[in-house]
Structure formats: C-alpha cells, structure tokens
C-alpha cells in the first residue's frame, strides 16, 4: 500500500525509504487493529518513525499464509539445491544493502556503526552457511533383515514462530531464519518492539530473492499481544525464542497448549575465571570485550569476573586501565565510539537501579554514572563493582548492561563452585596458561559454551546455547539444523508373509 512507507534521512546522512507495514504473503499491509509502534532513537530520545503493530487477526493471517506456503508446490516441492540458491541470492541482496541496514540498526538500537557493519557481515555469512546445507539434509537407510527395507526422511517441522530480541535484531533473525529456511520450513517472525525497523527493510529482499509468498512473514507487534498469540497459536508447529528467562518460561508454558517444538535461548550471568598463571593483560582485554561490547547487552556477557586472589589487585588495575583507554562513550555514528546508549529508557533505568542496589549493599563502585550528550540519550558509564559478596543482587541477577562485578577466589575447586553457583548456564570463560587445568575446568563448568583464553568470540559454525535456565536446544552450526527438522521412519516389507 502506498502509505505504508516513509522516507528517512539517518544521522549519518544515509537516505532511504522504509516500509512500515506488516509483511504478510510478500506484501506490506496495515494492522487490523490500527495499532502502531514508535521507534525511539536512544541517542537523542526522539522518535524515528512509527510502524504497524500486529493484533490477533494479523497473526492469524500470517500463520495461514505460512501454512499455505508450506503446502504449496512452489516451496514444498523444490529441491534443497533450489532452496539454497534462493538463500544465496538473499545473502547477496543483504550484502548490496549492507550500509543501509547497518545504518538503521545503529539508529534504532544505539550500537556503534562499526559493530552494526560487523553484525551485517554475520547475517550474510549465516545465510550463506545454511544455504550450503540446504541440499545436504537427508535421511539414511538402516539395515535390519533381508525382508525389510528401512529408511528415514528428514522433513521440515512446519510453520515456525520466531521471536527475536532487540540486542542483535538482524543477527538473531539470521540465526533463526537460516536453518529454518534451509530445512524447508515457513516462518512467522515477531521482532522486538524496541527495534522494529531494520527487519522491515530486510523483508523487502525476500520477494527480490525469489522466495514464494508466505514463506517468510514478519509481524511487528508487542510481546504481550502478538507474542502471546504466536506462543498459543494452534497453527504454529514450533516456536524459537531469544530473550529473558522469565519470558522464556512463559512461552514454554503457553506453547504446551499443542506441545509445540521449542528452542529457547534465554538469560545468563556468565563467569570469567582468571587463574594466577594467566596472561593478565590479555585476560583484562578479553574481559573488557566480554562485558562492555554492545553496551553490555549480550546474553553471554561474562559479567562475573572471578579472579584468583594472588593476582586480583593486578587484574583489577589492568581491567580498569583497559576500560579507561578503550570504552569511549558517545555518538554511535562517530568512528571512535566504543559504547553507545542503552537501547531504551527502561533498560537505562534498570541498570541504574542495579547501581543503586550494589552501592546500598556495600560494594565499591567505579563509574556507573549517567553521561548524556547535550542532556539527551540513554548513556551510562562502564560500571565496575569490587568487594562484591555472593549474596548480593548485583552478583546474582542478570543486569544486561555495561556492568561487571569482580570477586576473589583462592583455589580451583572454589572457582568451579562459584562459577556454577547460579541458575544460569549459558557461557563461561577461563584464563590460564596451564592447558590441563583449562580442559579440566572447562569440562566441569555448567555452561553450554566455554571460552578458553578468550570471551564471547562465538562462530556461526559452532553450536550456541545454554543449560539450566539459560535455554533449551542449540542454534548455529550443524546442530542448528536439528531444531528445524523431524525424522520420519519408513518401513518397507520386502516379502514377509503372515
């Protein structure tokens, strides 16, 4: 529809036309309830534009479109190689629009523009990675007896709901779309209401790449409305969610209405262990990346630094020096900015409430003050708490900001106990030059991922996911395909008579 678009000029001078509708059946349409979502620039607190917000009727239409596409020969009957070609074409189109997509991501989300460009490269790489898998997903023959021929088929699960977070909008979309499409599923995606813009420009690329109508549908909306309808919808076969543990639990409960297949990637309070023989300079630099990149808004952020007491003071001094020399807070479009604003006022206020909590509980604070630009923006200084006790709220709860606690340990056994003393189990990191200790500790830490002598350097070819209350299932790598296929067994009687 002609009125479902807006011409915009970003702070970096980039001009583009953005669709604002719900993307259903390869078309942009109005919300049936007339609802809108306003996107706020976290740098200056001004509205960028408003987009359509889906209601229950819109979700029904998107699910119906996805079901029709799943059963239509234009998608159901094409070969894996053809699916792969569509995905390669999509990746090429993303590459051609990389600068504009990254611009929207920074404007809408607040992350530094260089980081957004890095995210877009990962989007491109993810689509190409799974495009290559599209014609390599197959079953097997299973020898049984001479009178039976048995084989299996790997088939798509069906219509998949995907709910993505605001910290890596396009990155998380690619992590979910890549394997889902490679395996032949269809998708109804709900982006986060805090960052609804970049995914709409991505949506324009699916018809251009040749994807049939209904294969991918994108319905911006509020979680309590559109997200709830998706989780409870009887026409959805699978739901994949990235976000908070509390919301993940609610989705898991709601999805049980028809026993949906689920993949959940939820919260974390990941530890980073520094042993006394570690390269302290490198440990400090990686610890800085592990908690302060992306404004600390990373599910795997290593937000608990556990440091052996013999090197504690040296590490703290080095870590503070890295922050001082690296963590420049400022305009996310400026080349020398390391840390932009927090994504929303709500997230900004949440982080400051944890600063108040840590101070009131007696921990020692460095940083943690608001630092607006010209009186505007959700900017917070890098926040470090030392002299932290394990019963403090700041030690136990996920903050999701540039906020770290540093705690001492004495022995390897104590370090492992402290690392595991949490309801979460997403990631962990450890630093030591003793390779035997590294492998031993890595195997004993209760986490889905462990980094040895690095932090948060994930790779799309390697499985990603958590244990305990950090999620169910895995994304990325070959393991990511398992979340979007189901195995059917076929038994052929080759002569057995009754």
């Amino acid at each position: 529809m002609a009125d479902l678009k807006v011409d915009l000029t970003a702070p970096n001078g980039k001009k583009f036309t953005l669709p604002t509708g719900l993307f259903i059946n390869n078309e942009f349409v109005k919300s049936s309830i007339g609802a809108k979502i306003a996107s706020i620039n976290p740098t200056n607190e001004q509205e960028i534009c408003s987009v359509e917000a889906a209601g229950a009727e819109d979700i029904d239409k998107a699910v119906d479109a996805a079901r029709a596409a799943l059963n239509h020969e234009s998608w159901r009957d094409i070969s894996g190689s053809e699916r792969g070609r569509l995905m390669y074409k999509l990746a090429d189109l993303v590459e051609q629009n990389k600068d504009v997509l990254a611009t929207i991501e920074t404007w809408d989300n607040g992350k530094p523009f260089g980081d957004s460009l890095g995210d877009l490269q990962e989007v491109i790489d993810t689509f190409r990675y799974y495009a290559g898998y599209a014609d390599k997903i197959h079953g097997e023959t299973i020898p049984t007896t001479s009178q039976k021929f048995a084989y299996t088929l790997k088939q798509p699960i069906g219509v998949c709901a995907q709910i993505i977070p605001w910290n890596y909008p396009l990155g998380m979309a690619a992590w979910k779309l890549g394997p889902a499409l490679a395996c032949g599923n269809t998708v109804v995606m709900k982006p986060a209401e805090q960052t609804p813009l970049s995914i709409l420009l991505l949506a324009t690329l699916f018809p251009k790449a040749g994807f049939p109508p209904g294969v991918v549908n994108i319905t911006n909306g509020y979680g309590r409305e559109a997200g709830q309808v998706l989780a409870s919808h009887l026409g959805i076969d699978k739901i994949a969610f990235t976000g908070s543990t509390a919301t993940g639990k609610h989705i898991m409960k709601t999805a049980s209405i028809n026993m949906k297949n689920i993949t959940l990637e939820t919260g974390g309070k990941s530890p980073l262990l520094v042993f006394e023989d570690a390269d302290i300079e490198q440990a400090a630099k990686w610890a800085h990346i592990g908690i302060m990149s992306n404004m600390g808004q990373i599910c795997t952020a290593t937000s608990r630094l556990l440091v052996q007491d013999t090197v504690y003071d040296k590490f703290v001094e080095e870590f503070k020096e890295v922050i001082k020399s690296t963590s420049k807070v400022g305009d996310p479009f400026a080349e020398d900015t390391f840390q932009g604003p927090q994504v929303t006022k709500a997230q900004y206020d949440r982080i400051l409430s944890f600063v108040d909590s840590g101070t009131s509980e007696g921990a020692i604070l460095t940083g943690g003050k608001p630092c607006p630009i010209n009186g505007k923006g959700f900017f917070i200084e890098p926040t470090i708490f030392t002299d932290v006790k394990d019963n403090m709220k700041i030690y136990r709860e996920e903050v999701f900001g540039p906020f770290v606690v540093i705690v001492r340990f004495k022995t390897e056994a104590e370090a492992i106990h402290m690392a595991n003393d949490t309801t979460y189990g997403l990631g962990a990191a450890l630093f030591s030059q003793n390779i035997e200790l590294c492998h031993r500790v890595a195997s004993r830490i209760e986490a889905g991922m462990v980094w040895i002598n690095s932090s948060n350097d994930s790779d799309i070819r390697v499985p990603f996911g958590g244990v305990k209350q950090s999620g169910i299932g895995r994304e990325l790598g070959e393991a990511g395909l398992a979340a979007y296929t189901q195995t059917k067994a076929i038994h052929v009687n080759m002569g057995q008579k009754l």
Side-chain angles (χ1 to χ4, degrees):
M1 300 176 69
D3 56 338
L4 291 176
K5 60 185 179 181
V6 59
D7 294 324
L8 296 170
T9 302
N12 64 351
K14 187 75 70 174
K15 298 178 184 291
F16 57 93
T17 299
L18 184 75
T20 59
L22 306 172
F23 184 71
I24 299 174
N25 231 18
N26 276 7
E27 295 180 336
F28 289 96
V29 298
K30 280 186 172 292
S31 163
S32 62
I33 57 174
K36 304 270 190 177
I37 296 173
S39 174
I40 304 299
N41 175 2
T43 300
N44 62 12
E45 305 177 42
Q46 295 178 359
E47 181 177 325
I48 300 171
C49 68
S50 292
V51 301
E52 301 291 310
E57 183 181 332
D58 303 306
I59 297 297
D60 286 343
K61 290 177 181 176
V63 172
D64 288 346
R67 180 66 61 186
L70 182 74
N71 294 321
H72 195 274
E73 63 267 18
S74 63
W75 182 248
R76 180 194 63 204
D77 294 343
I78 66 173
S79 68
S81 298
E82 289 176 279
R83 284 200 306 274
R85 281 193 286 273
L86 292 175
M87 294 179 68
Y88 279 123
K89 178 63 174 174
L90 177 64
D92 291 344
L93 289 167
V94 173
E95 192 164 44
Q96 292 168 24
N97 291 273
K98 182 178 179 179
D99 285 353
V100 176
L101 288 163
T103 294
I104 301 171
E105 201 87 316
T106 289
W107 196 8
D108 196 21
N109 171 280
K111 66 175 65 191
F113 184 62
D115 291 359
S116 292
L117 286 172
D119 290 355
L120 261 296
Q121 188 57 54
E122 183 170 289
V123 170
I124 296 161
D125 292 344
T126 301
F127 284 143
R128 287 176 177 159
Y129 177 81
Y130 283 110
Y133 260 118
D135 58 3
K136 301 169 187 67
I137 301 164
H138 52 75
E140 60 186 354
T141 59
I142 304 170
T144 55
T145 71
S146 60
Q147 292 188 313
K148 172 176 283 194
F149 175 56
Y151 63 98
T152 61
L153 299 175
K154 292 288 187 184
Q155 296 185 316
I157 289 174
V159 177
C160 302
Q162 299 179 332
I163 300 176
I164 57 174
W166 46 257
N167 57 339
Y168 291 94
L170 291 176
M172 294 298 97
W175 281 25
K176 288 174 171 54
L177 285 167
L181 297 175
C183 295
N185 298 276
T186 58
V187 173
V188 179
M189 176 171 284
K190 193 201 85 65
E193 57 258 40
Q194 297 86 348
T195 51
L197 303 187
S198 58
I199 195 74
L200 293 175
L201 191 62
L202 180 71
T204 66
L205 305 182
F206 288 97
K208 293 177 182 177
F211 282 87
V215 172
V216 176
N217 306 274
I218 296 172
T219 53
N220 271 312
Y222 294 98
R224 63 184 179 272
E225 296 164 0
Q228 174 68 18
V229 173
L230 278 173
S232 61
H233 204 291
L234 297 179
I236 296 290
D237 301 305
K238 176 194 174 67
I239 189 160
F241 167 80
T242 297
S244 73
T245 293
T247 304
K249 288 179 179 180
H250 179 75
I251 285 174
M252 189 176 183
K253 182 179 180 180
T254 306
S256 68
I257 188 170
N258 62 336
M259 296 184 69
K260 291 178 180 66
N261 181 302
I262 59 171
T263 302
L264 304 176
E265 193 264 281
T266 53
K269 191 73 173 176
S270 299
L272 183 149
L273 286 59
V274 181
F275 289 91
E276 60 187 358
D277 69 331
D279 181 328
I280 298 300
E281 180 182 352
Q282 282 296 305
K285 288 180 177 180
W286 279 106
H288 171 259
I289 291 293
I291 180 57
M292 298 301 171
S293 57
N294 207 50
M295 294 75 73
Q297 297 168 158
I298 309 174
C299 52
T300 53
T302 38
S303 55
R304 290 186 298 142
L305 307 185
L306 313 181
V307 185
Q308 200 151 20
D309 55 2
T310 51
V311 294
Y312 180 88
D313 292 337
K314 181 181 179 182
F315 174 84
V316 171
E317 180 182 357
E318 188 73 33
F319 182 68
K320 288 181 178 179
E321 185 56 38
V322 173
I323 288 178
K324 183 179 178 181
S325 63
T326 309
S327 278
K328 182 179 185 295
V329 181
D331 176 3
F333 282 106
E335 287 188 15
D336 60 346
T337 293
F338 179 87
Q339 180 184 318
Q342 307 309 130
V343 69
T344 60
K345 179 68 159 56
Q347 190 62 22
Y348 170 85
D349 289 341
R350 172 180 167 82
I351 295 165
L352 291 178
S353 76
F354 275 96
V355 173
D356 292 341
S357 174
T359 303
S360 67
E361 289 186 301
I364 297 175
L365 170 66
T366 301
K369 296 182 179 64
C371 50
I373 298 176
N374 299 321
K376 293 290 185 179
F378 309 132
F379 297 91
I380 298 175
E381 292 177 340
T383 306
I384 307 168
F385 273 103
T386 52
D387 282 5
V388 175
K389 304 295 187 291
D390 64 6
N391 61 346
M392 292 181 178
K393 180 180 178 180
I394 58 173
Y395 182 84
R396 290 282 162 192
E397 296 187 20
E398 183 178 37
V399 180
F400 224 65
F403 187 113
V404 70
V405 299
I406 311 179
V407 186
R408 300 173 186 264
F409 70 84
K410 292 183 179 180
T411 66
E412 177 185 326
E414 183 183 18
I416 294 170
H417 171 75
M418 292 169 68
N420 292 338
D421 184 22
T422 174
T423 58
Y424 298 111
L426 191 53
L430 64 99
F431 287 80
S432 170
Q433 297 184 64
N434 182 336
I435 198 66
E436 292 180 11
L437 178 147
C438 289
H439 287 292
R440 182 170 64 243
V441 173
S443 70
R444 293 176 185 170
I445 289 178
E446 296 166 355
M449 300 164 286
V450 179
W451 293 280
I452 295 176
N453 292 323
S454 69
S455 178
N456 276 272
D457 57 334
S458 299
D459 190 292
I460 62 169
R461 294 159 291 198
V462 181
F464 185 104
V467 299
K468 298 197 283 191
Q469 292 187 38
S470 287
I472 297 171
R474 293 294 178 267
E475 296 185 303
L476 298 184
E478 185 177 7
L481 298 168
Y484 290 96
T485 57
Q486 51 194 350
T487 302
K488 177 182 288 183
I490 311 291
H491 300 256
V492 183
N493 187 338
M494 300 290 285
Q496 184 178 13
K497 306 293 184 182
L498 296 179

